[in-house]
Amino acid sequence: MKAISSRDNPLVKRLHALASSGRERRILGETLLDGAHLVQAALERSCRLKGLVVSESGVRKAEIADLLGEVGQGLPCHVLPDTLFAHVSPVDTPSGVLAIIDLPAEKPLGTIVDNLVVLDGVQDPGNLGTILRTAAAAGVRHVLLAEGCAGAWSPRVLRAGMGAHFVLEVHERVDLAAWLPGFGGQVLATALSGDACSLYDLDLRAPVAWVFGGEGQGVSPAVLACATRHVLIPMPGAIESLNVGAAVAVCLFEQARQLGSR
């Protein structure tokens, strides 16, 4: 491993840019994986790493030492002092290891006949990563993100997703109002409107496009108009709404329950 100790080092500047700027990630065509678990998940899914960076204290952690042994001599590896590693870390509590990967090439969005999750204005990286992880756990393969959502491949979203990105097909900046009318199954949008029906009264055994809105404003009117039905999650307690990540989990696993009982 090569040691780096200066903030002026080109690699340090590159890492800081990838950690802090979506614009720089798009220009460089790269992003960062933070944490040994996420890096290991990428390796298991044959995601090519371009470089590995560890902190001086991280080298002494067993899981990071095992990871360094697994990648071998063919991958550029650098070690940074803890203070410098914290400077390039995309999170407030550095994990001790970062990997550089290429951003995936954008795939054309064609016809989808399976269940999918559609997100409109979900801006919190932690929420988005959690939703992606939940979708992967529930067996959903496709996730569509409208313009205005957090960047799916930002380091914070990747960390919250914990490997879900490598088993999903994620499409960003989708014109939902143009795409959704062509979907062949139900388009179900969570909403508190008067015509909303209970989630538990629905037959969810056919393909569904699940539409969820942002943390504050919910689903936009243009996208809501594409829904074949508005859905309400019954809540007997004294709270009027759920975090969007929790709402996604309730809906997807109710569908999984119904499909499992078939």
Side-chain angles (χ1 to χ4, degrees), residues 188-225:
L188 301 181
T190 52
L192 297 175
S193 57
D195 63 344
C197 56
S198 169
L199 170 69
Y200 304 116
D201 290 336
L202 296 174
D203 184 344
L204 303 174
R205 292 173 293 175
V208 173
W210 292 101
V211 182
F212 301 91
E215 295 81 358
Q217 70 277 18
V219 181
S220 64
V223 175
L224 199 59

Side-chain angles (χ1 to χ4, degrees), residues 16 29 55 62 84 98 124 176:
H16 186 263
S55 65
L84 190 56
L98 296 170
D124 182 85
L176 300 180

Side-chain angles (χ1 to χ4, degrees), residues 10-255:
L11 177 60
V12 170
K13 291 182 177 180
R14 175 178 158 208
L15 291 169
H16 186 263
L18 293 174
S20 58
S21 171
R23 179 176 179 273
E24 290 298 320
R25 287 191 290 270
R26 290 190 295 272
I27 291 172
L28 295 170
E30 297 173 334
T31 191
L32 297 177
L33 305 180
D34 176 75
H37 178 89
L38 183 56
V39 176
Q40 186 63 49
L43 290 172
E44 290 172 357
R45 294 291 173 174
S46 301
C47 176
R48 187 178 74 88
L49 308 184
K50 299 179 70 175
L52 210 60
V53 181
V54 298
S55 65
E56 288 180 342
S57 61
V59 174
R60 297 190 290 273
K61 295 180 179 179
E63 60 180 357
I64 294 178
D66 291 344
L67 189 60
L68 290 169
E70 182 176 347
V71 299
Q73 300 297 317
L75 185 71
C77 296
H78 297 82
V79 60
L80 276 59
D82 286 1
T83 54
L84 190 56
F85 189 92
H87 171 68
V88 302
S89 173
V91 296
D92 296 332
T93 305
S95 65
V97 61
L98 296 170
I100 303 171
I101 64 168
D102 284 326
L103 290 173
E106 292 190 15
K107 297 179 181 179
L109 177 57
T111 301
I112 298 175
V113 297
D114 301 319
N115 297 313
L116 69 149
V117 169
V118 178
L119 302 179
D120 183 23
V122 176
Q123 299 176 340
D124 182 85
N127 279 342
L128 178 53
T130 297
I131 290 168
L132 296 179
R133 188 178 185 187
T134 299
V140 174
R141 289 186 54 241
H142 302 276
V143 179
L144 274 54
L145 309 182
E147 188 77 46
C149 287
W153 292 86
S154 74
R156 287 178 180 267
V157 175
L158 280 158
R159 178 162 175 164
M162 297 299 283
H165 290 71
F166 307 120
V167 298
L168 293 171
E169 291 192 22
V170 181
H171 296 271
E172 299 188 86
R173 297 175 293 279
V174 177
D175 184 346
L176 300 180
W179 189 88
L180 283 171
F183 180 68
Q186 298 185 83
V187 179
L188 301 181
T190 52
L192 297 175
S193 57
D195 63 344
C197 56
S198 169
L199 170 69
Y200 304 116
D201 290 336
L202 296 174
D203 184 344
L204 303 174
R205 292 173 293 175
V208 173
W210 292 101
V211 182
F212 301 91
E215 295 81 358
Q217 70 277 18
V219 181
S220 64
V223 175
L224 199 59
C226 299
T228 54
R229 216 160 196 177
H230 299 167
V231 179
L232 179 69
I233 299 173
M235 288 178 284
I239 298 296
E240 65 179 21
S241 64
L242 291 173
N243 169 277
V244 62
V248 171
V250 171
C251 292
L252 294 189
F253 281 97
E254 169 58 18
Q255 184 179 34

